[in-house]
Amino acid sequence: MSDDSALHLAVNGMSYSVTAEPETPLLYVLRNDLKLKGARFGCGLGLCGACMVVIDGKAVPSCDISVAAAVGKQITTIEGLGSGEKLHRLQSAFIAEQAAQCGYCVSGVIMSAYALLERNPSPRDDEILVALDGNLCRCGTHARILRAVKRAAAELPQ
Amino acid sequence: MIASRKLPRSLETNPLLGHWLRVNREGTVTVYTGKVEIGQGILTAVVQVAADELDVAIERIRLEPADTRYSPNEGLTSGSRSVEEGVMTVAYAAAEAREILLERGARALGVSLEQLTVSDGVITARSGGSISYWDLADDNLLKRNASGQVPLKPESERRYVGVSLPRRDILRKITGAPAYVQDLDFPGMVYGRVVRPPTYSARLTALHDGEVRALPGVIAVVRDGSFVGVVAEREEQAIRAARRLARLAQWHDVPSLPADMTPAAYLQAQPARSEVISEKSIAAAVPRTELAATYTRPFIAHASMAPSCAVAHLHDGKYQVWSHTQGIYLLRHELARALGVEESTVTVVHAEGAGCFGHNGADDAALDAALLARAVPEKPVHVQWMREDEFAWEPYGPAMVVHTRAALDESGNIVDWHFDVWSYPHVARPGDRDGVNLVAAWHLEQPFAPATPSDPPLPPGGSHRNAIPLYDFPNQRVTNHLVRKSPLRVSALRALGAHANVFAIESFMDELATAAGADPVEFRLRHLRDERARAVIEQVAQACGWEADKRSDGTRGRGIGFARYKNVGCYVAVVVEVEMETVVRVTRAWAAVDVGLAVNPDGVINQIEGGIIQSASMTTREQVAFDRERVTTRNWDDYPILKFSEAPTVQVVLLNRPDQPPVGVGEGATGPTAAAIANAVYAALGARVRDMPLTRERVIAALT
């Protein structure tokens, strides 16, 4: 791969160096090079939100942005929010509300909600709905997910 | 639990207890179930019953993924049968294992069985001695067939069953840990993609693939007849190579699809095999008013969030395939036939996928991966379909047409009921008799024909699922007209024929109620003797504050729908409220549900909430589009599903019936919700829409 050179990425507060062609969708680098499987392939066109990550504070479908375009930016994935030992309040709220069925959409949904709460700690219901409209869910878990996001918002430290 | 000694079907066919359970000396219990997690929470319920019947803490229970090397063959995870079959089998097996452990304990402690109590796997004699399951366990412990002589625990002694325990799988999913077949990642793994023909009937005539073989990372280009695939070092390289191959491939094709997308146009134009499935002529009636109507449903996609995926590894001449199939043994059988190898050389391991809602591309992706793995022996090959492949090639839920005719007597009671269903068969899964039901097999140089789709007999039925009303009509005739050959690939979609049949029955009940000048709730109750059915209708009416004779404000309305799923399963009554915006918007929904014993009440509620929201999407938005050549639905912008801002709130009332056997719930809300929406649109606007999806255009057309 003659046109490759190492690309430097900042993901979840860590620095990574990866070798991939610059136009590679960020999603495949996250999943296959960095082994961060939480962002998931759903459509490849940024229509479903299963691959959502947060880049410089904004929710972005990682299937629809090249790895080169993510260089020099702060990338947060679901793995950067919390782990089994210390969960983010959004993750705790999803457990409290049992807001998943198959769960394939859920990491993307949480990332959209995370970007919202970071910029707007006390969103109105309609603001939550707008923030999640880039995420599709086929199991019909919408009502539970909304409850979970509202619960997390209510628990935000003021 | 339930006193009945009739063993669940899965335990009848796999009686060896050791196939289901293993008691480990380190203080754990391993459960092997042939049922698989498809987002419905079944594995949590399996663990609950196992812990209860064995008398061990739930944390001690381990679950092994379904694997053809050791799992019991439970056929398919489908038809909302996993609770009746999979969960109850583990319950009975666990109860028998406990009995065997107690017998051993009694011998070891030198006391009689009556002297013993058990707590978290520790057997204690009243006289003082104690011994644990873990000390008693050895390899021979469960080398015994189920006797059918051990009853389940009474309700009062259950600790976990009936409790809303959190899902076992949720922590992994909300932290982004590997959880799905898509996330499998083996050392040396490579990536494959398949290039499908542009249409069902196209055949490859030429493929000049030299430039693709030279692309960076490309390991192999695979061609076998019209099957084309590529394997590359990296996933994005495989995708790019597949796109290049798609542009280079030359195909021969003739248009093969119907010119008209209206279900009645193509479905009823074909010959059908007609069968009267219910006929009653009890009382002479004096019909006064006659009504007739025709209802339709288009082809509907499963539209799983995750395009289908599999990993295959040809190692030492044997295939190992990881798949989100609903039936590991059926898939193994089909893979062996398509690959031309002995079944003993193929292992299928279940790995979870996204919610599938029936038969989607899961099994097909497994053959794709195996065919590509054959070209690169010793390398595990990961294949995920592109979204466009999933929409174009998954088997859809069939289009249906229902014609109804009924008569009211002078008191406004239904005295005659005729119901005619036209449908393609609803099931064409791997392992069905003749042929091979895997897409790639149809495209090979030595192709296999797809098996003839079939319909399961009643109950549960396929196209005729829920075609026979639960209402008590003095005279009725229900006829199923099965049309063998569908223009589009079809197979099982959540609820099968019950979606359209319940939509038709329950819409027509409202039309008849209107003709009789009756309230829809009262009208249903007066035709219904089944007490459990009456109870869910009464409960949902109470939950939503149903008011008879409530007038619409011109934009909003409420409607009700009811069914007992498969006529033998769960009872579900749904009320929805709709508002007319630029689309039919379902704003609120209420449901009352009776599943008998609810093993995990919150799991039941979750399934009903999801079933209602998904049915609202299917009923108001969805249809697979095609032209003369091809399916034109390719991505989410062609096939919009309900968004967060469009989803209703849902309130579920769960009727508690721990004395009744548990039944599945996953498909119970689909049909009632569809009808409730149509009835609510009528209540809001006076527009009766009988064709799904209930689009704005159809509502406007029905107004004029």
Side-chain angles (χ1 to χ4, degrees), chain B residues 185-253:
Chain B
D185 199 333
F186 299 115
M189 192 171 81
V190 293
Y191 296 86
R193 284 293 186 279
V194 171
V195 181
R196 296 275 181 230
T199 71
Y200 284 130
S201 54
R203 291 292 169 262
L204 187 67
T205 53
L207 181 67
H208 302 291
D209 59 10
E211 63 172 273
V212 175
R213 288 175 189 273
L215 284 175
V218 170
I219 301 167
V221 174
V222 179
R223 178 180 173 186
D224 185 338
S226 293
F227 175 81
V228 178
V230 61
V231 182
E233 298 286 350
R234 295 177 58 87
E235 191 163 16
E236 69 275 12
Q237 292 168 337
I239 293 168
R240 185 164 65 168
R243 289 196 173 130
R244 195 75 68 88
L245 282 170
R247 284 200 295 274
L248 292 169
Q250 294 170 37
W251 307 91
H252 171 71
D253 195 15

Side-chain angles (χ1 to χ4, degrees), chain B residues 419 465-466 497-507 561-563 671-675:
Chain B
F419 194 87
R465 184 167 296 182
N466 280 93
H499 183 218
N501 289 328
V502 174
F503 172 71
I505 291 174
E506 290 292 298
S507 292
F562 155 80
T673 303

Side-chain angles (χ1 to χ4, degrees), chain A residues 1 19-21 23-25 28-29 31-33 35-38 40-45 47-48 50 78-79 82-84 87 91-92 94-95 97-107 109-110 129-130 132-133 135-147, chain B residues 39 165-167 169-171 173-180 182-183 185 191 193 216 234-237 239-240 301-307 352 354-355 357 384-388 602 605-607 609-610 613-614 617-618 622 635-637 639 641-645 647-648:
Chain A
M1 288 188 277
T19 304
E21 298 198 28
E23 69 272 24
T24 303
Y28 301 119
V29 171
R31 290 180 58 81
N32 302 335
D33 293 299
K35 310 295 183 195
L36 298 171
K37 306 290 189 184
R40 297 190 160 94
F41 175 78
C43 70
L45 297 176
L47 298 174
C48 76
I78 185 89
E79 292 88 346
S83 64
L87 295 173
Q91 294 166 316
S92 305
F94 271 67
I95 293 180
E97 297 290 345
Q98 291 288 294
Q101 285 190 29
C102 85
Y104 196 86
C105 73
V106 160
S107 48
V109 170
I110 291 177
L129 294 174
V130 168
L132 298 188
D133 257 359
N135 296 86
L136 298 179
C137 163
R138 186 55 164 165
C139 295
T141 323
H142 306 69
R144 281 172 184 246
I145 287 175
L146 287 174
R147 289 201 293 271
Chain B
L165 292 184
R167 294 269 297 253
D169 49 349
I170 199 164
L171 181 64
K173 292 173 177 177
I174 54 126
T175 53
Y180 305 95
Q182 286 84 0
D183 303 336
D185 199 333
Y191 296 86
R193 284 293 186 279
R234 295 177 58 87
E235 191 163 16
E236 69 275 12
Q237 292 168 337
I239 293 168
R240 185 164 65 168
H302 298 77
S304 173
M305 282 307 296
E352 209 180 319
F357 319 107
Q384 184 164 18
W385 284 12
M386 304 308 284
R387 169 58 56 192
E388 293 78 5
D602 187 61
I605 291 168
N606 200 352
Q607 283 296 301
E609 289 176 355
I613 293 174
Q614 187 183 67
S617 182
M618 290 175 169
E622 299 181 27
N635 214 312
W636 292 113
D637 40 12
Y639 198 88
I641 63 173
L642 276 200
K643 294 181 169 187
F644 274 90
S645 57

Side-chain angles (χ1 to χ4, degrees), chain B residues 78 130 169 223 232 287 451 531 550 554 634 667 671 675 697:
Chain B
S78 69
S130 75
D169 49 349
R223 178 180 173 186
E531 282 305 323
K550 183 158 192 257
R634 293 284 152 145
E667 299 166 292
E697 293 70 29

